[in-house]
Structure formats: structure tokens, C-alpha cells
Amino acid sequence: MEDFLKNAEQLLQHKEVADALQKIAVYKEFKKGELIHSANSICSHFFIILSGIGRVFYYKDGKDVTVHIATEQESITAIDSFIQRKKSKYNIEAIEKITCFMISRDDLETVSAQSHKLEHFGRLFLEKLYINLAERLDSLLLHTSKERYDDLFAKTPELFNRVPAKHLASFLGMTPETFSRIRGK
């Protein structure tokens, strides 16, 4: 994460990149509980969160399953839909009031075609998404519930005060009861 942020900050120092992003980024606010994107529709934007927390989730057997949580200075989108331009199975919800920059895929592609530096920024962004996905998969497959809990708490302790326990439990791949039991130890 630190390498990505360092590289992103360096790229954003380039006037060309900063100017291009400023032209296509739209400031947007979402209320707590508001759906930013609904499943079964195409997600043609990604969002860079300035303040607040969002989550990506889907429904399975009548329950919602949280697959991603994003906070300040992170991005959020229905990545399956954003990349493939197909209807998504994911919803995106504002857990807290969110202020963000919204960038459309079409605008991003247009400016990326005109700027090697911006195209490089996009590649770094996608690399970071891939690394996060690979780490999440490893965590779910190779670690116990307690290890997943401890790892998330070590990396992002603020989530435990800002995100409802049921969403954290779902994100960690455990029942609310297991989450509560681990939290109580």
C-alpha cells in the first residue's frame, strides 16, 4: 500500500496528471445508508473517498455479504462491472456520509489515451486492486477466523469503531456470533 501511495503521490505531482484528473473528477456526496451503486446495473464510475466509509456487498440466501470496505483516500467501485462493462452483482453502500470524487470510465479512458503518465497511474491503481484481492483470498483460505480478525484490527483498528460488527464479521468470513466471541477475548 505504501509503495502505491508513494508512486501515486509522485505521479500526482506532475501537472499533466493533476490537470487531467481535475478535469474529469466530479465532487459528490452520499448520505449514510445511501446506495452508491445498485446490483444488476452497470457501474461506470469509480469513487475516491475523501471522507466516510463505503462497502461493496452482494446478497446470498437473503443475507448481505460484505466483500470490500473502503475508507478515506481509498477507492471503491463494483470492479467486475467497471472493467467488463456488464451488469454487476455488487451493491455499494455508504456506511457513513461519504464525500468523494467520482470518475467515469469513459473519461478516464479518454485522458489515459492522451497521457502516458495517467495511463501509468491507472496501471498502478489496477495493480493495487489485484494485490488487495490476492491478499484477501489468501486470508480467507489460509487463516483462521481469529487470525483474520487480528490482522484486520492491526491494519485498520478504526474500522472497529466505525463499521457495524455485522459488516465486519461478513467481511472477515465469519458469523456475527464468532466475531462477537473473538472480540470479547
Side-chain angles (χ1 to χ4, degrees):
M1 176 71 164
E2 290 175 22
D3 288 341
F4 171 76
L5 291 175
K6 182 177 159 187
N7 288 334
E9 285 175 12
Q10 288 172 350
L11 278 170
L12 288 172
Q13 297 302 316
H14 293 284
K15 185 170 176 14
E16 175 185 354
V17 174
D19 288 349
L21 286 176
Q22 188 173 6
K23 288 178 186 173
I24 64 174
V26 176
Y27 180 81
K28 185 86 172 153
E29 293 183 3
F30 296 96
K31 297 175 188 165
K32 177 181 179 176
E34 186 176 354
L35 279 184
I36 296 169
H37 169 76
S38 297
N40 297 315
S41 64
I42 296 173
C43 185
S44 57
H45 294 84
F46 79 93
F47 307 85
I48 300 171
I49 298 175
L50 303 172
S51 67
I53 297 180
R55 74 179 181 115
V56 178
F57 70 99
Y58 66 94
Y59 289 103
K60 181 177 181 178
D61 301 328
K63 295 183 181 181
D64 70 62
V65 179
T66 300
V67 296
H68 180 68
I69 298 171
T71 62
E72 291 83 4
Q73 309 310 311
E74 294 179 334
S75 64
I76 195 165
T77 190
I79 196 67
D80 62 330
S81 181
F82 185 77
I83 290 174
Q84 298 176 355
R85 296 183 186 217
K86 67 174 189 170
K87 291 183 180 179
S88 179
K89 66 180 173 186
Y90 299 110
N91 297 283
I92 305 173
E93 176 189 31
I95 293 176
E96 296 177 346
K97 177 186 175 187
I98 288 179
T99 61
C100 63
F101 285 120
M102 179 174 78
I103 299 174
S104 82
R105 179 181 168 130
D106 290 340
D107 287 345
L108 187 61
E109 283 193 17
T110 299
V111 297
S112 293
Q114 300 166 358
S115 167
H116 171 70
K117 287 184 177 83
L118 197 58
E119 188 176 45
H120 181 68
F121 179 80
R123 183 180 58 78
L124 290 174
F125 172 77
L126 289 175
E127 285 177 3
K128 177 61 182 145
L129 286 176
Y130 174 79
I131 289 166
N132 285 345
L133 182 60
E135 288 176 352
R136 177 151 167 73
L137 185 60
D138 283 350
S139 177
L140 290 170
L141 294 175
L142 303 174
H143 298 276
T144 66
S145 296
K146 173 85 167 89
E147 289 169 335
R148 291 192 303 273
Y149 179 97
D150 290 344
D151 185 54
L152 184 64
F153 188 80
K155 288 179 180 175
T156 53
E158 71 278 2
L159 291 182
F160 289 76
N161 293 322
R162 297 173 67 189
V163 176
K166 66 182 180 180
H167 298 322
L168 289 175
S170 175
F171 178 69
L172 291 169
M174 61 181 78
T175 65
E177 295 79 16
T178 300
F179 182 86
S180 181
R181 188 173 55 254
I182 292 170
R183 188 177 213 173
K185 289 183 180 182

